[in-house]
Every structure is written in structure tokens, then in C-alpha cells.
Amino acid sequence: MDYTLIVKLTNSCNLNCSYCYYRRNMNPNLHKVTSRNNLDLMIRNLLSNNERYAHFIWHGGEPLLAGIDTFRFIVEKQKEYNYKNLKIINGVQTNGTLLNDEYIQFFEENHFSIGISFDGPFDIHSNGRGTTQSEYLHILSSIDKLCIPDAKWGVLCVVGKNHINNEQNLFDALRKYHIKNIGFLPCVVQNNGVLDQDATITPSEYGRFLVNFFDIWINSDIHRMSIRNYDDAIRHFKGYPAFTCIGKNHCNSYLTVTPDGGIYLCDNFSTNEVHHVGSIENGFSSIQLSAPMQWIIESMKDIPEGCRKCRYYDGCFGGCKYYRWISNHNMTQRQYYCQATRKLYDHIGAALAKGGTVTDASFLF
């Protein structure tokens, strides 16, 4: 099994996003930083375990708080322990407020992809993240510096209730700042395992946002914008496999490593000890046999009633397992955003059927 690791370099952050699951997590590891010893052991054990590639996503909290010397150490150890000559892939997900010329140069020289959290115009972005005007301007300055040929970067946008009816404003901001690679994540907030209905975007709202934004995009003059949510849907209709983990249904190949060296199921499950599958000290060879991993593997097979008969099953596979867990901890119900997914696929399918009425962007696959 070739694992992709989502590594929490630190759970600390210089922002205080209202919807952050770590902000609401009472885990005592909250403010710990991954030690050099743990990084060394993790990299060595993963490169020893994997056979074809090793994919690291450096995450947080805010990973850049770990300092650039930490990233230099990471690259050094990856080179040192890559006895199998694996393809090593690095990505970093940052809020962008600490990106500077030194970081950007380092990431470009070492072929890191950079993901920046960007929720749109200042009033929308700062509403959930508490970002100051100067911090927001710094993010924009960093984005501008990344707009060079061959730079690997994009943004993640957490879609909340304040994005509803503001789709055009968001699109205008993306165009203004030359952002051409974006992924949308629905804002999901839980308090002690209970969904916060006031803060969480509903399936109906999220579906409406996705459809409205799609219409704005295909009727625009931007033909080279990659929107992950739409890319997967379009690839489904074209008969190609999905890019994202949801569409691949390979949940057992994604793991999260916390600063104390604990290994968990994917990032969404990493705040709950119930989903703890191992530790970096014990390596990766026995993780597939752990009870939580067997549970997630079984959920990949045991699809809720009605999903297998759905015309979009091969593009969704019952949806994100975390969203199924939100609906029902026994995983017996359809995923929470099923309605939004079906609405989007219905809409994109109809648009593709019209052929010439949409821009070239929809037919690049």
C-alpha cells in the first residue's frame, strides 16, 4: 500500500478561523509541534513501506509556523532515505499570511505544490477567518508572486453561508487575482460530535452555490480554470476516473500524522481517538489490520441503500466517508451532502448535453 500522509507539522495557528475543527478540539495535543525525531522516523518508515511513490501533504494548524529550516530538514531526509528511488511528492497547505520570498523560492526549487486558503473578497474571507486587512493584502501579494510559469499552486475555499448569493463576487475575485486552480469545501462545524446547524452550510445551500458558480464560470471568458469539484463531475461524464480521493474511493490509502506521532484515518477523522490506527514508531506495515482501518475499508464496500442504483455511483461511490459519518456514525445513511452532489451532477450533465452552449473549459477532458 502506497500511503499519502497528511502531516500536522503543528496544530498551532496564527489565525482563529471560526469553523476550524482543531480550534474546537479539546485534544491535549492541540499546540504541540512535530519534533525532528518524529519527522525523521516518519519519513524513513514511509519510504521503507511504499513501493511506487510517497506523497506528503504538510498541514497544520499553520505549517509555516514550523519554520523554513524544518522544510529543509524534510527535503534532506527524503533524499537520504529514498533507497527505493520512489517518486516523492510534496504539497503544503497554508493560510498564506506567512508566505514570503524565501518560502516561495524554496518551494519552487524543491517542487512543492502550494495550497492557499482563500475564501474570496476581504469581507467574506475575514468573516470566517478573522483576517486583518494587512494579512489579507499579504495573502494577495503572495498569490501575485506565485503567478509565474510552471508554478504549482492553487487555493482551497471553505464555502459557508456567507457565500450564498455572493458567487459572482467570489468569481470576480478569483479572476482579478489570476487564480486558476481552486477546490471548494463545504463549511462543516461540529461541537463535541454534534453538527452545528447554524454554522454548517446545508446540502441545499451548498448545492445551490455549486450550481450558481458553475453557471458563472461556463459563461465567462476564462477557459483554463480548474475547479476540482467540477473536474471530477466532468470526468465522470467523459468516462474518466476522478482526480480526488472522494471519486477514487481509496480512503484506506490516506493517513494523518499528528505532532505526537499518532497516525489516524484521513484528516477529517484525526481529532477523534476512535479513529487512531497506529504510530510512526510502529511503522506502516500493520495499519491496514487496525480496527478503525477495517471499519473504513468495510464502509467502502457497504454502501448505503440506494447509492449503488444511483446513476452517479461510479463518480461518487457513496460520497466522502466523513460526510456519511456526519449523517450517521454507523455509516448506514447517505452522505450529508448527497443532495448537493446530485444537484451538481444533474446540472453539469445537462450542460454537457447541450454541447456548444458552454465554453471550451468544460470540454478539456
Side-chain angles (χ1 to χ4, degrees):
M1 175 67 70
D2 286 332
Y3 290 113
T4 291
L5 298 188
I6 303 166
V7 185
K8 303 290 185 181
L9 283 178
T10 174
N11 288 335
S12 294
C13 189
N14 59 325
L15 297 182
N16 193 28
C17 302
S18 61
Y19 45 73
C20 178
Y21 50 88
Y22 270 92
R23 175 177 179 261
R24 294 167 180 264
N25 175 34
M26 301 309 292
N27 190 306
N29 294 323
L30 183 58
H31 297 296
K32 288 186 176 180
V33 177
T34 303
S35 69
R36 294 286 177 92
N37 285 340
N38 278 354
L39 283 174
D40 183 293
L41 187 59
M42 176 189 61
I43 293 169
R44 187 186 341 150
N45 285 346
L46 185 73
L47 295 183
S48 174
N49 175 86
N50 287 14
E51 295 298 332
R52 295 173 298 145
Y53 66 86
H55 187 184
F56 298 86
I57 302 173
W58 305 103
H59 212 279
E62 172 47 51
L64 300 195
L65 286 172
I68 194 166
D69 285 342
T70 296
F71 288 95
R72 292 192 176 104
F73 178 84
I74 287 167
V75 170
E76 174 188 324
K77 291 302 175 181
Q78 288 175 341
K79 293 176 181 177
E80 179 180 347
Y81 295 129
N82 193 13
Y83 307 119
K84 296 180 180 179
N85 197 29
L86 305 181
K87 178 180 181 181
I88 295 179
I89 307 166
N90 285 299
V92 59
Q93 181 62 40
T94 172
N95 61 39
T97 61
L98 301 178
L99 267 178
N100 55 31
D101 291 344
E102 186 178 22
Y103 265 124
I104 292 173
Q105 181 178 351
F106 175 85
F107 290 145
E108 288 178 355
E109 288 177 350
N110 291 281
H111 312 293
F112 279 58
S113 62
I114 304 172
I116 299 177
S117 300
F118 181 79
D119 293 346
F122 175 71
D123 57 338
I124 298 177
H125 184 92
S126 62
N127 183 64
R129 297 182 177 273
T131 314
T132 66
Q133 184 73 46
S134 62
E135 288 171 332
Y136 185 74
L137 291 175
H138 183 90
I139 295 168
L140 297 181
S141 174
S142 298
I143 288 174
D144 184 61
K145 292 175 182 177
L146 290 171
C147 291
I148 58 176
D150 301 324
K152 298 188 295 182
W153 68 282
V155 304
L156 282 179
C157 173
V158 177
V159 179
K161 292 179 181 291
N162 58 341
H163 285 90
I164 306 302
N165 299 322
N166 277 310
E167 295 89 352
Q168 185 67 59
N169 292 334
L170 173 59
F171 183 83
D172 291 343
L174 296 175
R175 171 161 39 194
K176 180 178 180 180
Y177 303 122
H178 309 289
I179 297 169
K180 296 182 179 180
N181 189 313
I182 184 168
F184 295 128
L185 297 173
C187 180
V188 177
V189 178
Q190 292 194 81
N191 292 314
N192 299 318
V194 178
L195 202 64
D196 185 335
Q197 299 288 352
D198 292 330
T200 298
I201 189 170
T202 68
S204 176
E205 290 170 333
Y206 188 47
R208 189 162 83 247
F209 166 85
L210 290 173
V211 165
N212 289 346
F213 194 93
F214 178 83
D215 285 344
I216 292 169
W217 170 56
I218 64 171
N219 290 299
S220 74
D221 57 355
I222 297 179
H223 302 286
R224 296 286 178 179
M225 180 181 284
S226 173
I227 305 171
R228 273 161 271 184
N229 312 67
Y230 305 155
D231 290 349
D232 270 2
I234 294 169
R235 289 179 69 83
H236 166 73
F237 286 108
K238 296 289 186 178
Y240 299 127
F243 284 131
T244 65
C245 58
I246 295 174
K248 291 178 180 178
N249 200 32
H250 289 170
C251 301
N252 59 322
S253 64
Y254 291 84
L255 301 172
T256 294
V257 181
T258 54
D260 64 346
I263 303 177
Y264 295 76
L265 299 176
C266 91
D267 190 34
N268 288 318
F269 290 110
S270 63
T271 62
N272 193 323
E273 286 300 313
V274 172
H275 304 126
H276 181 270
V277 298
S279 68
I280 58 171
E281 291 182 355
N282 295 327
F284 298 90
S285 60
S286 62
I287 282 177
Q288 292 295 307
L289 300 177
S290 67
M293 186 59 77
Q294 288 297 306
W295 170 74
I296 205 71
I297 290 172
E298 193 60 31
S299 75
M300 292 161 56
K301 304 173 186 175
D302 188 15
I303 305 299
E305 184 179 356
C307 284
R308 289 190 185 277
K309 297 179 180 178
C310 175
R311 57 188 173 276
Y312 305 131
Y313 172 71
D314 290 340
C316 169
F317 296 102
C320 175
K321 307 305 178 287
Y322 177 66
Y323 297 151
R324 277 176 59 189
W325 187 73
I326 287 174
S327 294
N328 179 282
H329 285 194
N330 292 326
M331 308 284 268
T332 57
Q333 297 180 15
R334 294 184 183 184
Q335 62 114 335
Y336 187 71
Y337 288 107
C338 176
Q339 176 187 346
T341 302
R342 287 174 63 89
K343 185 178 181 68
L344 176 64
Y345 275 58
D346 281 344
H347 194 74
I348 290 180
L352 288 170
K354 294 179 182 178
T357 63
V358 297
T359 66
D360 293 340
S362 297
F363 298 99
L364 295 176
F365 305 97

